[in-house]
């Protein structure tokens, strides 16, 4: 019999809320890239393979609205902009680690490498 | 300084793989509902608030392809069909628990309840 975890409607709603906030394939990889420390736009595009500038800029704005990313503009000439994850986003580390481990395990199961 | 977790390109790809497999707002809530044990179609639609029959049937097919759900047809009259999560899907429990806890915490942070 499958090992059950307590499944109730508030649990289902919480998971749906989380998935809606983290929706799409890019938000968590961006946060994971920023979990290594503050980065500039170009550094993030280099680390998150395959993301377009347009998509990254859209997702960064969304992550800012959800209090997950902080944007800082430095008064250099020309001005430089850095992105870093907020303390609230750090609470996502458990989710990121669980997804990373599951993703590696799933890839081995499905395509055997 | 933010508490860093080891961020490398294989970690980013693994998270992207996981998010692509679990994409959309419904797959994890469906799996979470099935984590309470095998269920029939109508039972799942009752538990996963707001999901349409069309969406549930599409997502169940996708979850079967990804070895996450098993479909069993019983030779009753009329035949009855049950869905249950596979052992492979049980490895998602950590992800589901982390997302549920984060979803509840995020809801409090963003809308204060």
């Amino acid at each position: 019999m499958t090992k059950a975890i307590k499944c109730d409607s508030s649990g289902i709603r919480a998971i749906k809320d989380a998935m809606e906030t983290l929706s799409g394939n890019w938000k968590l990889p961006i946060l994971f890239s920023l979990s290594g420390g503050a980065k500039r736009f170009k550094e993030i595009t280099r680390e998150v393979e395959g993301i377009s500038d347009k998509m990254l800029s859209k997702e960064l704005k969304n992550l800012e609205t959800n209090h997950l990313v902080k944007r800082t503009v430095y008064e250099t000439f020309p001005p430089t902009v850095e992105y870093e994850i907020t303390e609230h986003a750090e609470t996502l580390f458990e989710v990121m680690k669980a997804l990373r481990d599951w993703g590696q395990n799933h890839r081995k199961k499905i395509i055997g490498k």
Side-chain angles (χ1 to χ4, degrees), chain A:
Chain A
M1 221 352 259
T2 44
K3 191 189 68 191
I5 56 173
K6 203 165 97 30
C7 150
D8 51 30
S9 57
S10 79
I12 290 181
R13 190 183 64 181
I15 287 184
K16 226 178 123 226
D17 281 353
M19 289 306 282
E20 264 158 35
T21 308
L22 304 170
S23 64
N25 302 336
W26 299 108
K27 291 188 183 72
L28 273 170
I30 293 167
L31 291 171
F32 192 69
S33 159
L34 292 176
S35 69
K39 287 199 169 80
R40 294 190 193 174
F41 194 91
K42 277 288 165 220
E43 288 174 299
I44 304 169
T45 49
R46 268 198 302 272
E47 268 199 356
V48 181
E49 250 171 73
I51 194 165
S52 68
D53 286 359
K54 193 176 160 209
M55 177 60 83
L56 179 56
S57 126
K58 181 185 134 238
E59 297 289 35
L60 284 171
K61 272 197 194 81
N62 181 290
L63 290 167
E64 263 185 275
T65 317
N66 268 298
H67 308 246
L68 294 170
V69 158
K70 199 178 110 197
R71 181 174 184 272
T72 311
V73 183
Y74 293 97
E75 306 298 326
T76 51
F77 187 79
T80 41
V81 179
E82 269 194 354
Y83 298 91
E84 64 185 303
I85 52 171
T86 59
E87 244 174 66
H88 178 46
E90 282 177 29
T91 58
L92 268 169
F93 282 166
E94 284 320 305
V95 172
M96 286 196 228
K97 276 184 262 172
L99 275 169
R100 178 194 55 194
D101 299 345
W102 190 79
Q104 285 163 341
N105 171 29
H106 183 64
R107 174 174 273 266
K108 269 184 218 127
K109 165 109 186 153
I110 300 294
I111 51 178
K113 64 169 163 60

